[in-house]
Amino acid sequence: MAPAFSKAEYSSRIDRVRRAMQTHDIDVLVIGDPSNMNWLTGFDSWSFYTPQMMVLDLVNGPFLMTRLMDVKAAGFTTYLSASQIIGYPEPLVQQPDTHPSDYVASWMRDAGHAKARIGYESDSYYFSPRSLHALQAGLPDAKWVDADLLVNWGRVIKSDAELAMMYQAAQIADMAMQVAWDGAKVGVRQCDLMADITAAQIKG
């Protein structure tokens, strides 16, 4: 499964986020929203049922922090190099006395971010209070800054590649809706109509 956009498109998005980070005096950004991780890299996985996040500084990265078993998915769906995909050990998953963010905090210290000004997404559904507390405990000398919606505001301005993708998606939606309109008749079973609609969406 290849990323939806070119490597240049993702690089452009990362550059835009870095400019926003500089505007807000942020050295490192911790991204916990799966849709923002996807927008920045193409990462597409249902692994957000366990802690995962992306770390971006002004020079290096982004670095994806995910469960070890999901590292391969990151390789399939992004242009990230092996050194940019950090898999935390399986024994850290769902434990009462340790947390994957402990591992991430240690990695961030080793990367030179112990005293950095670190932004984080405060209202991301998948970035839990426990994740944040573990990061802050592991990086007590860092300055933590609420950077909620920083990436989202960057996503508002659509690139030519995004507009082309949205136009194509709209055409597919039109076709699927036409199938629904034409097929909704007395005596047609709902399951049969849904099968036709789903087929139209998949065929594109």
Side-chain angles (χ1 to χ4, degrees):
M1 180 177 179
F5 295 94
S6 69
K7 188 174 183 178
E9 171 69 16
Y10 292 113
S11 295
S12 175
R13 297 174 184 180
I14 291 167
D15 289 342
R16 285 160 56 188
V17 171
R18 282 183 168 141
R19 288 195 293 271
M21 290 167 61
Q22 290 175 312
T23 298
H24 291 82
D25 195 24
I26 293 172
D27 303 315
V28 183
L29 183 63
V30 176
I31 301 161
D33 188 329
S35 62
N36 286 341
M37 289 187 268
N38 176 271
W39 184 74
L40 283 169
T41 66
F43 180 57
D44 187 9
S45 173
W46 283 85
S47 54
F48 46 74
Y49 64 91
T50 57
Q52 63 178 17
M53 62 198 77
M54 191 165 285
V55 177
L56 176 67
D57 65 32
L58 296 174
V59 178
N60 301 307
F63 297 95
L64 176 64
M65 312 293 177
T66 189
R67 187 176 182 175
L68 185 60
M69 66 179 289
D70 294 312
V71 165
K72 290 294 184 182
F76 294 148
T77 61
T78 74
Y79 296 104
L80 299 178
S81 66
S83 63
Q84 291 176 280
I85 305 171
I86 314 299
Y88 56 77
E90 290 293 316
L92 295 179
V93 177
Q94 297 180 342
Q95 297 298 319
D97 56 349
T98 188
H99 192 271
S101 288
D102 297 329
Y103 183 90
V104 175
S106 177
W107 182 93
M108 291 178 69
R109 285 197 307 273
D110 292 342
H113 305 317
K115 296 183 179 181
R117 186 174 166 89
I118 304 174
Y120 66 96
E121 296 179 322
S122 63
D123 198 25
S124 172
Y125 182 85
Y126 295 98
F127 185 60
S128 70
R130 189 178 176 193
S131 288
L132 176 59
H133 294 159
L135 286 175
Q136 291 175 329
L139 295 159
D141 296 324
K143 172 68 174 177
W144 292 87
V145 181
D146 188 341
D148 194 49
L149 300 182
L150 184 146
V151 177
N152 301 70
W153 279 113
R155 290 170 54 185
V156 169
I157 302 172
K158 304 302 182 186
S159 67
D160 290 341
E162 287 175 300
L163 291 173
M165 181 75 74
M166 292 168 69
Y167 180 74
Q168 185 181 43
Q171 290 180 304
I172 294 172
D174 280 347
M175 288 188 289
M177 290 301 295
Q178 191 63 55
V179 169
W181 178 266
D182 294 340
K185 299 176 181 179
V186 175
V188 175
R189 296 192 308 168
Q190 182 178 355
C191 59
D192 293 332
L193 180 56
M194 285 306 302
D196 291 340
I197 295 169
T198 302
Q201 291 174 318
I202 294 172
K203 287 179 181 178

